[in-house]
Amino acid sequence: MQSFLSRYHGKRLVILELGIGRHNRLIKQPLMQLAASEPNATYITLNLAQELYVPPILTTRSIALEGDIATTLREMNHMLSNQTK
């Protein structure tokens, strides 16, 4: 992990969080800390409406997507499939 962080420090980074509940600090907090410490990071979270959470420090560099993961991924796959035809 440290090697990855050193290699990509300062570069454009997308942190994609899928379905981590708003109270699951064990997983969520390190991801948010990474996003906050990297100036070129974008934090994207996809979850049910009641589980979406983006801390105030990340609101300008975050995208919060409300939805069911299975449905959203299925729709994205369908859209991408149609683009390649």
Side-chain angles (χ1 to χ4, degrees):
M1 175 78 157
Q2 202 58 36
S3 174
F4 172 85
L5 295 176
S6 296
R7 183 175 180 181
Y8 293 101
H9 175 69
K11 296 183 180 174
R12 293 177 67 190
L13 177 66
V14 171
I15 299 167
L16 180 59
E17 175 201 298
L18 300 174
I20 300 172
R22 69 182 298 128
H23 300 292
N24 188 339
R25 299 282 183 215
L26 184 65
I27 298 171
K28 207 169 185 61
Q29 188 149 4
L31 295 174
M32 288 189 266
Q33 287 174 338
L34 175 60
S37 70
E38 287 295 326
N40 298 314
T42 301
Y43 183 77
I44 302 172
T45 179
L46 168 63
N47 213 328
L48 300 173
Q50 67 271 18
E51 295 297 330
L52 279 176
Y53 173 72
V54 174
I57 194 168
L58 294 177
T59 55
T60 61
R61 297 186 294 132
S62 296
I63 301 169
L65 303 170
E66 178 185 333
D68 177 88
I69 293 170
T71 302
T72 303
L73 293 177
R74 199 171 22 256
E75 289 171 0
M76 287 173 58
N77 185 43
H78 180 72
M79 289 169 53
L80 291 171
S81 295
N82 287 340
Q83 286 182 355
T84 60
K85 292 180 183 179

